[in-house]
Amino acid sequence: MDQTHRQILTLLLCLRTLPGVGFTQTRDGFLGHHWGTPVATLAQSVELHTPRAEGDVILYNTAVTEVDHVAVQQCDLEFVSGRLAGVIVTVRGEENSRGFLSLLLREYGEGESDHPRARRWTTPNTRVSFDLDTHGDAYIYWYSTLLQN
């Protein structure tokens, strides 16, 4: 293995050890894990905190503090039958909210908007909602249409 390949591999291994930082992927899952990923698999790369049951859904708070260089206040993961089924993110401040909206626009396109502070996207496998409050804070929810109704 040449020096460049070693450096790339070392960088990737180092990045994997940062459980509080999320990377772009929000399409059909989260952080490189697609809908249906078992909780045990996802727990290897994301720090999960005490689960709580909400009906058929088990909700875990995570230690994720950033997604694609956008600071997040809270990131919860939903599991149905032990499989990743949804993501709930809260973002504080107008700058971070705009940053997360830009990420979603890159991933999903323009989507639909029935209100100036709300946007929705639907794909064959995923539904996404983005809501901005009057203080500039955003609430984002994306989930599997295959695992949840």
Side-chain angles (χ1 to χ4, degrees):
M1 181 181 307
D2 70 14
Q3 184 66 22
T4 302
H5 286 106
R6 256 189 233 118
Q7 290 172 336
I8 291 171
L9 182 59
T10 301
L11 175 64
L12 291 174
L13 290 172
C14 289
L15 290 175
R16 183 162 164 70
T17 64
L18 299 172
V21 178
F23 298 95
T24 303
Q25 191 258 333
T26 59
R27 182 177 278 291
D28 300 333
F30 187 57
L31 304 180
H33 298 283
H34 294 283
W35 299 136
T37 299
V39 65
T41 301
L42 210 131
Q44 293 175 5
S45 61
V46 177
E47 184 179 334
L48 301 177
H49 298 281
T50 308
R52 60 190 184 277
E54 293 184 6
D56 295 343
V57 175
I58 303 295
L59 196 64
Y60 286 86
N61 182 262
T62 71
V64 172
T65 59
E66 186 178 293
V67 175
D68 196 35
H69 308 294
V70 176
V72 300
Q73 176 71 31
Q74 183 172 342
C75 177
D76 294 335
L77 301 181
E78 295 180 326
F79 292 85
V80 173
S81 300
R83 303 203 172 271
L84 180 63
V87 182
I88 305 166
V89 170
T90 302
V91 177
R92 299 282 185 230
E94 289 183 27
E95 183 178 339
N96 289 322
S97 296
R98 280 193 305 272
F100 211 98
L101 178 58
S102 293
L103 166 66
L104 293 172
L105 290 168
R106 278 194 320 265
E107 288 276 340
Y108 293 98
E110 285 300 313
E112 300 174 8
S113 180
D114 55 1
H115 190 277
R117 293 191 314 258
R119 192 166 295 276
R120 309 276 179 274
W121 296 267
T122 302
T123 71
N125 297 323
T126 303
R127 285 204 180 111
V128 183
S129 67
F130 174 93
D131 295 287
L132 186 67
D133 70 15
T134 56
H135 303 290
D137 299 335
Y139 307 90
I140 306 100
Y141 177 47
W142 66 102
Y143 66 94
S144 166
T145 57
L146 304 174
L147 297 170
Q148 298 191 67
N149 293 329

